[in-house]
Amino acid sequence: MIVLAAALALLGSLFFALGAAFQQHEASGAAGPGMLGLLRRPRWLIGTGAVALGGGLHIVALSAGPLIVVQPMGVASLLFALPIAAALHGRRPTGSELVAAAVVGAGLIGLVMLVPATAPTPRMDDAGALALLAAAVLAALVCFGLATSMGGAGRTALLAVAAGVMYGSCATVTRVIVDGDGEHLWLLAVMPIPVLAALGLLQRAYAGRHFAVAYATLQLTDPVTAVACGALLLGEPLPTNLTAAVVAALIAGAGTVALARTSPLTG
């Protein structure tokens, strides 16, 4: 089941990447269009549909495997997003980007190979789920407040961190819902609020033209938040060889940072 979860998460990452590239292409600008303006742009709507499809695959993956497998696979979407975004901007990926992408892939493969084969059924009560989402919203507000006093790549990164924390927390709650035997279905009525808020924050990040910084930061913050929540709140297992896992995660992180630095879309 872990292999199936990883495969579905990887396929979902492809659709996430496609959608993100289309969204960024439409949202980019000095100030960026508002959400109402974006809703009138067909290409942005296509991108949003691709993200939604990726989200659906992600939910199925969460029902088949633990957060520590599913969430890190989202980082792989960076390998897809940068070439797609480059094509939309009329260029080809550089050699440096391809090397950095290979480094990310190596780190991800190492991390997944270290994951234990089994994970306990996630358990969280409704109060805990709401408290987690509230904490994520508070953290996002802090990041948003700091971002308003900054510009350039720093502002982009903080907005992406805010979105990533909320997406990662939502993934944790989603894992509880899909394995909860109908006990937590009412939370589905609450989930659109943080998801849409994260979407709005991400479009603000894309509007700054630093796409690689925004997407790389998102793809690191999201899985780190979800894996931490899974381990601390759901009792999901961490890799037995923590040293090797940390090394693999650092390799993936270094490749992601290198991708952000090499992409012409960052400046």
Side-chain angles (χ1 to χ4, degrees):
M1 292 295 285
I2 285 182
V3 174
L4 175 62
L8 289 172
L10 188 62
L11 182 59
S13 294
L14 174 59
F15 285 102
F16 273 131
L18 180 64
F22 274 86
Q23 285 181 336
Q24 186 274 337
H25 193 268
E26 295 302 308
S28 62
M35 287 299 297
L36 291 179
L38 290 173
L39 288 171
R40 293 193 291 268
R41 298 192 174 193
R43 186 174 291 183
W44 188 87
L45 292 174
I46 292 173
T48 302
V51 169
L53 180 56
L57 290 169
H58 193 78
I59 291 173
V60 176
L62 284 171
S63 68
L67 286 166
I68 197 171
V69 170
V70 175
Q71 290 303 108
M73 296 303 292
V75 181
S77 66
L78 186 62
L79 312 182
F80 306 131
L82 291 182
I84 294 171
L88 290 174
H89 286 268
R91 68 174 185 86
R92 294 182 178 179
T94 65
S96 297
E97 286 176 306
L98 296 177
V99 171
V103 172
V104 176
L108 286 173
I109 292 172
L111 188 60
V112 171
M113 289 179 65
L114 291 168
V115 174
T118 60
T121 301
R123 290 288 183 264
M124 180 184 290
D125 58 28
D126 292 339
L130 291 176
L132 173 59
L133 293 177
V137 171
L138 180 60
L141 286 174
V142 171
C143 291
F144 180 77
L146 293 173
T148 57
S149 61
M150 299 183 65
R155 172 185 170 85
T156 296
L158 280 170
L159 290 171
V161 167
V165 167
M166 295 184 73
Y167 278 138
S169 300
C170 288
T172 303
V173 176
T174 299
R175 173 119 171 92
V176 173
I177 293 173
V178 297
D179 280 349
D181 297 326
E183 298 176 7
H184 307 282
L185 289 179
W186 74 271
L187 286 171
L188 292 174
V190 178
M191 293 291 284
I193 299 174
V195 169
L196 290 176
L199 177 64
L201 288 166
L202 191 56
Q203 301 316 302
R204 286 177 176 268
Y206 288 161
R209 294 182 182 273
H210 298 272
F211 176 62
V213 172
Y215 204 67
T217 302
L218 174 71
Q219 296 306 321
L220 284 175
T221 307
D222 182 347
V224 166
T225 299
V227 169
C229 290
L232 295 174
L233 302 178
L234 304 183
E236 291 195 346
L238 291 172
T240 53
N241 191 334
L242 287 178
T243 300
V246 169
V247 171
L250 288 175
I251 290 173
T256 302
V257 172
L259 276 171
R261 291 172 64 87
T262 58
S263 173
L265 295 178
T266 60

